[in-house]
Amino acid sequence: MKNHALFKSGLAEFFGTGLLLIAIVGSGIMGTRLFEDNTGTVLLFNAIATGVALIALIIIFGRTSGAHFNPAVTLSEFLLKKIAPQKAMVYFLCQFLGALLGAILANTLFSEPAFQLSSKERVSFALFVSEVLCTLGLILIIQAAVRHGWIAIGLAVGFYIFGAILLTPSTAFANPAVTIGRIGTETFTGIHLASVGPFLFAQFIGAILAVPLTRRLFRSP
């Protein structure tokens, strides 16, 4: 029974992360085709699609897996002793695999090559700091909203990411699985392989920093 529940949770993380990547990459491709060189409008289009998708996915999958869809969130939950090591490892695997499959499916849906290494470099100190802060903020938002139910979490996370995409230089990846998945698309949302390391490092730093802040700000009475 325990293994069945873990399998079900892992499956939810796999499909949820995959659908999130389809929303991110697909809206980037669609936005580029609709608005061509108007980068600001494409970014707004992408932010709306990503935020709305997150709201729906968290509400749908929240009770099944906790709707992490993000290894940084899973790491913070593990460090806060809210999930077991075995479950965290299953989530990591399912999230990364789901992200890769989601990017491939998004490419295919828009008649792009199924897998293509991105040439879009995203390397600077400002982007590194941006990813630390975006990930830190995301986890604090989740921990603040968790006591109010899945609709509240979905709305809080969706609106947070919508705003963060528009208001930060890194466009708020804030998710190691999303970062890995976006390697495989030579479109608006892609990221060059050489840029991935600093992004992942920043995201995991943000997740780790969020843990003591969560304990301080949201500890139970």
Side-chain angles (χ1 to χ4, degrees), residues 103 179 189 194 202-203 210 212-213:
T179 304
T189 56
Q203 289 156 4
L213 285 172

Side-chain angles (χ1 to χ4, degrees), residues 34-56:
L34 289 174
F35 307 111
E36 297 181 354
D37 295 328
N38 192 333
T39 306
T41 306
V42 176
L43 184 63
L44 176 61
F45 189 83
N46 179 246
I48 293 170
T50 303
V52 170
L54 274 169
I55 292 171

Side-chain angles (χ1 to χ4, degrees), residues 188-208:
F188 177 79
T189 56
I191 181 171
H192 192 281
L193 184 61
S195 304
V196 168
F199 265 60
L200 296 183
F201 186 46
Q203 289 156 4
F204 283 122
I205 286 178
I208 292 168

